[in-house]
Amino acid sequence: MPDTTLPSRPRILGIAIPSPLRRLFDYRPGSDCPEQGWQPGVRVRVSFGNRQVVGIVIECRNQSDVPDNKLKTIDACLDTHPLPADWLWLCQFTARYYQHALGDTLHHALPARLRQGQALETQTREYWRLTSQGHQTPSGEPARAPRQAALLEMLRQHPSGLVKQAIMAQSFTQPQLNALASKGLIAASQHPLTGSPEQADNGFLAEPTLPLNREQSSALATVHEQLDAFNPCLLHGVTGSGKTEIYLQLIEAIVSRGRQALVLIPEISLTPQTLSRFRRRFRLPVVALHSGLSDNERLDAWESAASGRARIVIGTRSAIFTPLKRPGVIIVDEEHDSSFKQQDGLRYHARDLAVVRAQHAEIPLVMGSATPSLESLQRALSGHYRHLRLTQRATRHAPAKLELVDIRGRVRHGGLTPPVQKQIAATIAAGHQVLVFINRRGFSPTLSCHTCGWIADCEHCDARMTLHRQPPLLVCHHCDHRRPQPATCPNCGSGDVRPQGTGTERSEETLAELFPDTPVHRIDRDSTRRRDSLEQILNEVRRGEPCLLVGTQMLAKGHHLPHVTLVVVLNADAGLYASDFRALEHSAQLLEQVAGRAGRAELPGRVLVQTLHADDPNLRLLANEGYNALAEQLLEERRSAALPPFRFLALLRVESPREDQASELAEAAAGALRQQLQHRELPVDCLGPVPAPMERRQGRYHLQLLLSAAKRSQLHEASAWLVTWLEAEPRARRARWSLDIDPQTLS
Ligand code: ADP
Ligand code: ZN
Ligand code: ZN
């Protein structure tokens, strides 16, 4: 057993190095290294192959299997204090659980600046506060510079000063600070890091809390019962039932006990609107982690969370790796959202890591959703999580029911049937807004020749090209291959080449034709590429003038659209008969989320769902009784089919540009694994290898092997063995492979 806390200088350091190899590398401590107190988590610079890398000390030992003359000495020791222990623990857990190399996991979880070896903490921080002249300046001044006035106002709320990072986190800029300083209204000073002026928190509520309704109070009270223990709760409440208000009041309680809150939200929801809701409520440093941060801002956010200065940390998936000095609660909003699972490289699920992290830290965990994942729902139903139900909307109107519209044999114009067009017209005439949901961007998903039947396929994938009009191109949504739209059929030369089916662009075009006097806003990945363009469109929409919104799931989630009273789902059928076992769960969640956009404020809403399968029992159950009824039925089906959450899965994906090399490796892996399972008498099923649902993608052949077990420990043992086998297997160097623990899709 390695002793990780040797009191005197160890002979050998086991170091995690950013590399896909699943092992530590042994080095000798250098002469500049401290004699004592080596601890796991210290960063060192070492030479590795022919490069210099930053590694992290994991073990201190007296012996190595590497011969003495081969052992290298580390080049530099970068830290006097190790990286936070809770962070290191989480990374080690993650690497183990997801069968991923520790060095690569640590690298993933560390801000770029720290990966590059930058010093961890500067010893002083810059604080800004009002000068006496600043104190005498009336509120609202300087009137011609509203941001400067807002900055002055914020500093007025913090008489002891604010650290510069906290000021920047509220979107103020250095030029604004400079401008006020040059007028003599504010001044900077340097303070040592410990005992920072912000530590005493009083009166941090910047706006009053809402009085909770009965369901909300009882949910909050349940969380409050155990604030010092692992207390996992599923906050299962319809859209608009006031889950966010509960988060806010819970955070208030956590912060007033001097603790920190970590809030995870889906990628799509980290909007200025969401952030401002938290920042409006609390006069406290709220740190937001998102992809728009610079490396320096990210380092600042990390340090302020690690030091305890940041009280509230909000971020998407990767924010789960933020170290916290005094963790008090973890909140996962929209816990069912698939963006919490990383789909390449380190394939972790942030919600699942939130569970182990809260357990390790012995703090409450609140997972909120209107449409919980079957995993979480099952744990709530079986009593592993507290099941907190909110059945009423906090505002006046009950959530709208789904009304199925049978489109079989009906004429459709741009995908819309006449009765739906009529409803849209009536809604606009009443001065309200309409949302048309269609989960397909582009103009049309298929371009085909009506003379010979030719279809525009992707050369690199088993997939059709999507026709786009803006700009006019055929685009493959799987590999992003693009080519011009042919004027005539490349097969028979006929001019009768037509788009088939409807995407957002086509729907936008049709709606503009049908309703020429009403603005149409399209919201999808293409129309919102520019930064802030989504917020700009939504701000326009929130002004409340009648309009038509066409969009993909970007529109379906999270956004509060108070003037939308009619939601139209162009086609609900995509997930009904898909082969993936989670497809129906995910499309039911999406439909329910879309429906939740209707009638959120003063006005009741309607949701019209067009379908070719109006008799489908699952769709009818969803429409008539709602998500929960369908979810319970799906759980029964999963139980009898031995699928998650009643079984645990791991998926080995193998790919290569050469089909024979991919299948050779997949077959060999399957054979070796089956033999090993038998030898160990391990009850793990091994299915395949089979071609992936889209066998050829980006010019590569994809095969997969599915492992399934009744117990996590069994799956873990089999996966660990398989990964070791693959690492040693020469054929594995000719094909790419990855192992996905708890895969979200089998594609
Ligand atoms: P959810 O997160 O469940 O979708 P929100 O927290 O966004 O719901 O609440 C929906 C709306 O109801 C918001 O406008 C919110 O301000 C309001 N609201 C929430 N709780 C209450 C309450 N107890 N009293 C009055 N309004 C409330
Ligand atoms: Zn043709
Ligand atoms: Zn392609």
Side-chain angles (χ1 to χ4, degrees), residues 405-413 416-420 610 612:
V405 179
D406 192 342
I407 57 177
R408 257 171 311 183
R410 284 236 169 115
V411 271
R412 273 172 276 159
H413 190 47
L416 297 167
T417 51
V420 170
Q610 297 194 144
L612 282 167

Side-chain angles (χ1 to χ4, degrees), residues 714-734:
Q714 297 162 345
L715 185 73
H716 186 84
E717 188 181 338
S719 319
W721 184 86
L722 182 59
V723 164
T724 312
W725 184 87
L726 283 159
E727 286 200 316
E729 172 58 39
R731 276 169 289 190
R733 276 171 228 137
R734 293 202 293 269

Side-chain angles (χ1 to χ4, degrees), residues 181-326:
S182 68
K183 291 176 193 140
L185 302 180
I186 64 174
S189 57
Q190 301 289 327
H191 284 257
L193 264 178
T194 47
S196 53
E198 288 149 307
Q199 224 120 62
D201 288 325
N202 272 317
F204 55 80
L205 271 192
E207 64 171 17
T209 59
L210 296 173
L212 298 181
N213 64 33
R214 197 180 44 77
E215 284 184 330
Q216 283 174 312
S217 314
S218 108
L220 185 61
T222 309
V223 186
H224 273 282
E225 273 168 26
Q226 278 185 305
L227 288 184
D228 293 306
F230 176 50
N231 179 14
C233 302
L234 177 65
L235 182 58
H236 181 176
V238 294
T239 34
S241 56
K243 296 186 288 295
T244 311
E245 184 61 33
I246 294 181
Y247 304 152
L248 290 168
Q249 299 200 16
L250 176 59
I251 292 171
E252 179 191 335
I254 296 297
V255 166
S256 66
R257 306 168 94 230
R259 304 277 197 108
Q260 296 165 285
L262 174 62
V263 184
L264 301 183
I265 59 185
E267 262 157 24
I268 226 146
S269 316
L270 190 53
T271 60
Q273 209 196 6
T274 311
L275 276 180
S276 73
R277 205 160 161 195
F278 286 83
R279 290 191 169 142
R280 257 203 327 266
R281 179 68 57 94
F282 301 107
R283 207 174 283 132
L284 281 173
V286 175
V287 160
L289 292 161
H290 53 82
S291 54
L293 294 185
S294 71
D295 287 349
N296 284 335
E297 288 169 326
R298 196 170 293 280
L299 176 60
D300 264 331
W302 205 84
E303 288 183 339
S304 64
S307 69
R309 287 191 303 279
R311 291 319 181 74
I312 303 169
V313 177
I314 304 183
T316 50
R317 180 175 66 226
S318 62
I320 188 63
F321 292 111
T322 314
L324 297 172
K325 176 88 177 229
R326 289 183 293 272

Side-chain angles (χ1 to χ4, degrees), residues 6-324:
L6 285 185
S8 61
R9 173 182 263 186
R11 287 195 55 243
I12 306 294
L13 302 174
I15 295 177
I17 287 194
S19 121
L21 297 175
R22 290 166 172 78
R23 47 169 289 215
L24 300 179
F25 294 86
D26 288 358
Y27 285 82
R28 275 204 207 91
S31 52
D32 69 327
C33 293
E35 288 285 327
Q36 299 209 329
W38 272 100
Q39 285 177 46
V42 168
R43 287 176 306 151
V44 291
R45 198 182 291 283
V46 297
S47 51
F48 183 70
N50 51 8
R51 33 181 201 133
Q52 276 243 323
V53 298
V54 173
I56 295 177
V57 175
I58 301 297
E59 289 173 3
C60 308
R61 284 184 258 115
N62 278 321
Q63 275 153 26
S64 171
D65 297 336
V66 182
D68 245 15
N69 59 353
K70 288 263 172 71
L71 265 179
K72 288 193 223 162
T73 301
I74 65 168
D75 296 335
C77 173
L78 299 174
D79 294 317
T80 43
H81 297 290
L83 296 171
D86 69 324
W87 174 85
L88 190 60
W89 179 88
L90 183 66
C91 290
Q92 286 180 296
F93 176 91
T94 304
R96 221 170 32 241
Y97 184 83
Y98 291 103
Q99 303 289 340
H100 200 80
L102 177 60
D104 209 51
T105 307
L106 293 164
H107 193 75
H108 184 95
L110 209 56
R113 288 281 183 253
L114 297 181
R115 296 202 292 261
Q116 294 152 3
Q118 183 164 320
L120 185 53
E121 288 270 34
T122 47
Q123 290 311 300
T124 61
R125 285 274 148 152
E126 189 175 318
Y127 279 84
W128 287 85
R129 67 172 57 131
L130 293 192
T131 59
S132 52
Q133 194 188 336
H135 276 294
Q136 286 154 17
T137 309
S139 222
E141 293 282 327
R144 281 213 250 131
R147 285 304 284 166
Q148 289 179 30
L151 176 50
L152 270 190
E153 191 53 43
M154 185 168 87
L155 289 175
R156 193 167 287 134
Q157 312 274 3
H158 294 84
S160 53
L162 265 184
V163 67
K164 184 172 147 190
Q165 283 74 9
I167 298 172
M168 296 305 197
Q170 309 286 327
S171 309
F172 292 105
T173 62
Q174 186 68 47
Q176 288 160 354
L177 284 169
N178 295 346
L180 290 172
S182 68
K183 291 176 193 140
L185 302 180
I186 64 174
S189 57
Q190 301 289 327
H191 284 257
L193 264 178
T194 47
S196 53
E198 288 149 307
Q199 224 120 62
D201 288 325
N202 272 317
F204 55 80
L205 271 192
E207 64 171 17
T209 59
L210 296 173
L212 298 181
N213 64 33
R214 197 180 44 77
E215 284 184 330
Q216 283 174 312
S217 314
S218 108
L220 185 61
T222 309
V223 186
H224 273 282
E225 273 168 26
Q226 278 185 305
L227 288 184
D228 293 306
F230 176 50
N231 179 14
C233 302
L234 177 65
L235 182 58
H236 181 176
V238 294
T239 34
S241 56
K243 296 186 288 295
T244 311
E245 184 61 33
I246 294 181
Y247 304 152
L248 290 168
Q249 299 200 16
L250 176 59
I251 292 171
E252 179 191 335
I254 296 297
V255 166
S256 66
R257 306 168 94 230
R259 304 277 197 108
Q260 296 165 285
L262 174 62
V263 184
L264 301 183
I265 59 185
E267 262 157 24
I268 226 146
S269 316
L270 190 53
T271 60
Q273 209 196 6
T274 311
L275 276 180
S276 73
R277 205 160 161 195
F278 286 83
R279 290 191 169 142
R280 257 203 327 266
R281 179 68 57 94
F282 301 107
R283 207 174 283 132
L284 281 173
V286 175
V287 160
L289 292 161
H290 53 82
S291 54
L293 294 185
S294 71
D295 287 349
N296 284 335
E297 288 169 326
R298 196 170 293 280
L299 176 60
D300 264 331
W302 205 84
E303 288 183 339
S304 64
S307 69
R309 287 191 303 279
R311 291 319 181 74
I312 303 169
V313 177
I314 304 183
T316 50
R317 180 175 66 226
S318 62
I320 188 63
F321 292 111
T322 314
L324 297 172

